[in-house]
Amino acid sequence: MQDTIAAVATGPVRAAVGILRLSGPDAIRAAEAVFRAERGERLSQCPDRRLVLGWLLDREGRRIDQVLATVSRAPHSYTGEDTAELQCHGSPAVLALGLEALFAQGVRQAGPGEFTRRAFLNGKLDLMQAEAVADLIDAETGAAARCAGGQLSGVLSRRIQGIYDALVDLSAHFHAVLDYPEEDIDPFGASTLEQALAGAERDLAALLDTYRRGKLLVGGIPCAIVGRPNAGKSSLLNALLGYERAIVTDIPGTTRDTVEEKCTLGGRLLRLIDTAGIRESADAVERLGVERSRRALEGAELALVLCDGRDFQPEDLALVRRAREKVPQVLLVWTKRDLWDAPPALPAEELPPAVAVSSRTGAGLTELEAAIAACFPTDEAQDRGELLTNARQAEAAGRALELVRSARAGLAAGITPDALLVDVEGAMEALGELTGRNLREDVTERIFARFCVGK
């Protein structure tokens, strides 16, 4: 990392402000070469993090924009290197000219996530904090942003570090006893070892248990909208989205394939899946659509089972039962509320929580949002950012848990403590992958490839 990088750190559209960001040993010099302060200051002589008003120059030295400039010197910067920022007006043309002038100073274009990668490599962030930066940028709900912000502050890293440190203590004691037999070091007793491994297993299991909630928080809750033909599925999808995404007709079987869209309801990000009406059909194309509907139902975390309040049939009850068998959370949605007075009276034990709605008038949609929110309550761990949020993290935590369980099983089987050390240190290595303590270069490349340029 001996070179200096630069990028536009804001979006590629017209905006009020656009930022040119630099990092590396030549960052301050290069920024100074394309900036002229109103009062004649030189950026190299300005204190850190003080805004200086001046002019951005193109590669020929002509003024192109009035800007604010600031510098931060190593190691007290985001990347841990010398950095500079030029806060311009957000014209893509101005930013392009400014970037061109910086390139003429020997600076190169930054790659995706390269600023954050340098922060990671320079010890300013661990890997989970770096991933949280990307999650924060991509957050589509307030809850997802709060979770990512907590991870960026290091809450989850500290939780993992506590488990790691407990295993380090075990490993260090093992090595001390084995390597220095002449010293008066207390040997590990089986009960002490079992207690330590049981604590690590408990903490790892609780950590891994957060992944399902974290995955749904970041990626969205798969929500299948199912029902018989003409139950109002596409109408509800359109009403929830606020625009006509799906075709709606009075002809049964209009929807032949699944239609997927994201929306936020009750503060939860949902991946809504409008499905074909579920019924027996002689039409080959419709049968394919019905089969896709069944697969969507089985892969959902939430099912909205739609039933026309005027025409409840045995097939509706069968679909409710199937949904309750296959899906963790189910809501019965009585549709076309504006066309009837009261839903059918059914045994309470047969039905999940129910809401009556009218997609045409919007009646009941607020109640539906509240019911969805109740299915996925928030908790302090989520708000603090203590959830695993991606498959890489879950795989490493799961591997650490299996190795700790293997060590406990070996202990119960009478294996000597020195032999258990292999599993204990394997668990430590897996936890090190979570924070970036132990990580292959190809994995690092994949992680930072998802970042936007300029961050």
Side-chain angles (χ1 to χ4, degrees), residues 155 236 303 314 320 367 384:
V155 169
L236 180 62
V320 169
E367 290 86 345
R384 287 195 303 264

Side-chain angles (χ1 to χ4, degrees), residues 39-276:
R39 297 182 179 180
E41 307 104 306
R42 298 177 62 86
L43 284 181
S44 57
Q45 297 171 352
C46 291
D48 286 5
R49 291 173 290 280
R50 191 184 80 181
L51 291 172
V52 181
L53 179 66
W55 292 89
L56 177 65
L57 311 178
D58 66 13
R59 62 185 304 164
E60 279 77 39
R62 296 170 295 195
R63 294 183 176 188
I64 52 176
D65 190 16
Q66 190 174 42
V67 304
L68 292 169
T70 183
V71 299
S72 295
R73 294 171 178 82
H76 306 295
S77 70
Y78 177 74
T79 62
E81 304 173 330
D82 285 352
T83 62
E85 284 192 358
L86 299 167
Q87 300 178 13
C88 316
H89 293 93
S91 159
V94 166
L95 296 170
L97 287 171
L99 203 56
E100 182 182 291
L102 291 171
F103 293 159
Q105 296 298 318
V107 174
R108 71 166 175 83
Q109 172 69 53
E114 192 167 0
F115 290 92
T116 303
R117 181 171 183 168
R118 290 187 176 206
F120 164 63
L121 294 175
N122 288 325
K124 304 296 287 187
L125 301 171
D126 67 28
L127 194 59
M128 300 199 78
Q129 290 174 298
E131 288 178 304
V133 172
D135 284 345
L136 195 55
I137 293 169
D138 294 337
E140 297 183 65
T141 64
R146 287 191 296 272
C147 183
Q151 289 181 344
L152 182 57
S153 74
V155 169
L156 184 57
S157 300
R158 288 190 290 274
R159 181 174 177 178
I160 292 164
Q161 189 63 40
I163 304 171
Y164 184 90
D165 289 343
L167 295 177
V168 168
D169 289 343
L170 282 179
S171 178
H173 199 151
F174 273 135
H175 282 295
V177 171
L178 293 174
D179 296 343
Y180 302 100
E182 70 282 358
E183 298 292 335
D184 187 19
I185 301 173
D186 292 335
F188 255 121
S191 61
T192 303
L193 183 55
E194 163 62 22
Q195 184 178 3
L197 290 173
E201 180 181 348
R202 180 185 63 252
D203 292 344
L204 282 167
L207 177 67
L208 191 59
D209 189 53
T210 68
Y211 173 53
R212 176 178 170 273
R213 285 178 291 153
K215 179 175 65 173
L216 297 179
L217 180 68
V218 172
I221 300 164
C223 174
I225 304 174
V226 298
R228 289 190 295 123
N230 270 12
K233 298 180 295 299
S234 296
S235 295
L236 180 62
L237 175 73
N238 292 342
L240 294 176
L241 294 176
Y243 65 93
E244 293 190 8
R245 172 63 177 84
I247 296 172
V248 177
T249 74
D250 293 330
I251 303 170
T254 300
T255 301
R256 297 297 187 94
D257 202 352
T258 55
V259 177
E260 298 191 27
E261 289 291 341
K262 285 184 179 181
C263 79
T264 301
L265 291 175
R268 278 67 173 165
L269 178 65
L270 298 186
R271 287 163 38 209
L272 295 173
I273 309 166
D274 180 24
T275 65

Side-chain angles (χ1 to χ4, degrees), residues 282-294:
D283 186 295
V285 176
E286 187 174 357
R287 285 202 306 272
L288 288 173
V290 170
E291 181 56 34
R292 290 192 178 188
S293 298
R294 292 190 174 116

